[in-house]
Amino acid sequence: DLRNVIKDENISRNDTILFSESNGRILLTISPSNEAKFLEIMQGVICSRIGEVTDANYFKITGLEGSAIVNLSTEELKKHWKSFMSKMN
């Protein structure tokens, strides 16, 4: 959910958040059973939870306006990735 990404207040575009580079931006996957411990360790460090991994076979990104800007099955994503990578040879 891009609404939860810590950002400059003047950033108002989804693509800016998705594709801009930041020296301090790191994406991690933390098991729900370790979330409290992780937050305890990270106390004092600015961080936010922007999503979750589920058993559903799709990838969804919620934009700044609250609606889905990406909502594709993992099969569809894999198909596009393979198509792109085949053109790299």
Side-chain angles (χ1 to χ4, degrees):
D1 191 327
L2 297 183
R3 296 171 295 178
N4 295 335
V5 173
I6 298 166
K7 61 193 171 307
D8 240 37
E9 61 187 38
N10 62 349
I11 295 176
S12 60
R13 292 177 40 165
N14 295 314
D15 60 339
T16 302
I17 296 169
L18 287 169
F19 300 110
S20 65
E21 295 183 19
S22 172
N23 292 332
R25 190 173 294 157
I26 300 170
L27 182 64
L28 302 169
T29 302
I30 307 296
S31 169
S33 63
N34 291 324
E35 184 176 7
K37 180 75 171 170
F38 173 77
L39 292 173
E40 179 185 322
I41 292 168
M42 297 302 290
Q43 190 172 16
V45 176
I46 299 171
C47 61
S48 65
R49 183 178 194 214
I50 63 168
E52 66 180 306
V53 176
T54 68
D55 290 335
N57 290 322
Y58 69 91
F59 180 73
K60 179 180 178 183
I61 299 175
T62 302
L64 293 170
E65 300 298 322
S67 59
I69 58 171
V70 174
N71 194 5
L72 296 169
S73 72
T74 51
E75 259 324 294
E76 186 76 7
L77 289 168
K78 184 178 178 181
K79 180 180 87 175
H80 289 294
W81 174 73
K82 282 187 168 192
S83 172
F84 173 78
M85 293 305 288
S86 70
K87 296 173 187 174
M88 298 297 287
N89 294 328

